[in-house]
Amino acid sequence: MMTRLFFAGCALLFASSAAMAETCDFQIESTDQMTYSTSEMKVGAECTDVKVTLKHTGKLPVESMGHNWVLSDTGDYQAVVQAGMSAGVEADHVPEGDDRVIANTELIGGGESTSVTFPTSDLKKGGDYTFFCSFPGHSGAMNGKLIFG
Ligand code: ZN
């Protein structure tokens, strides 16, 4: 009798922790005119994971109009842009193993789409985050704020 109750309790605990996981989806479009369709992402406190899907609605190839979505602390953003420039197109213009990069998608060209999922445990509530395209010369026009909590 006790054993049976114990197992029932475990199953209940498992079910409630699974219900608490919530992946919040964001869709962002990017264009041949070097724009993102959004300049602000509000991530609610209930989100345990964030999934960002980036779509390139243009026609130009990745070598001339590549776009990605990179997230860092606003204070690190310019330095990551610089480092991404020298990382090269083969590395998606993202410095490898750089822990200032919180999350990033791969670099895509016209007609392609890509996504990245990352846990909000990497974010602080009320932190100041900037997302941007790290293709050389793009971040000035292609950037926005991410707000968590
Ligand atoms: Zn770009």
Side-chain angles (χ1 to χ4, degrees), residues 30 34 36 65-68 107 133-135 138-139 142:
S30 56
M34 222 192 282
Y36 277 146
M65 190 49 75
H67 298 314
N68 60 9
L107 199 65
C133 174
S134 67
F135 192 92
H138 287 199
S139 66
M142 301 181 72

Side-chain angles (χ1 to χ4, degrees), residues 15-96:
S16 66
S17 70
M20 279 165 64
E22 185 172 339
T23 301
C24 298
D25 280 291
F26 290 86
Q27 319 275 341
I28 300 178
E29 292 188 352
S30 56
T31 66
D32 282 345
Q33 285 72 45
M34 222 192 282
T35 58
Y36 277 146
S37 57
T38 182
S39 60
E40 190 176 86
M41 292 172 59
K42 283 189 173 153
V43 178
E46 75 281 6
C47 306
T48 53
D49 294 276
V50 176
K51 182 180 181 188
V52 177
T53 302
L54 177 71
K55 207 173 150 186
H56 191 323
T57 60
K59 291 191 168 61
L60 295 171
V62 65
E63 297 79 14
S64 56
M65 190 49 75
H67 298 314
N68 60 9
W69 182 95
V70 183
L71 182 69
S72 73
D73 273 344
T74 295
D76 293 333
Y77 143 62
Q78 291 297 345
V80 175
V81 167
Q82 289 299 322
M85 214 176 281
S86 39
V89 70
E90 307 77 24
D92 295 323
H93 283 297
V94 176
E96 205 185 323

Side-chain angles (χ1 to χ4, degrees), residues 80-129:
V80 175
V81 167
Q82 289 299 322
M85 214 176 281
S86 39
V89 70
E90 307 77 24
D92 295 323
H93 283 297
V94 176
E96 205 185 323
D98 191 323
D99 54 18
R100 294 173 300 185
V101 176
I102 298 168
N104 70 277
T105 68
E106 60 178 355
L107 199 65
I108 55 170
E112 297 180 312
S113 79
T114 183
S115 69
V116 63
T117 303
F118 63 98
T120 55
S121 55
D122 292 346
L123 304 174
K124 286 191 282 288
K125 276 183 190 152
D128 191 0
Y129 302 101

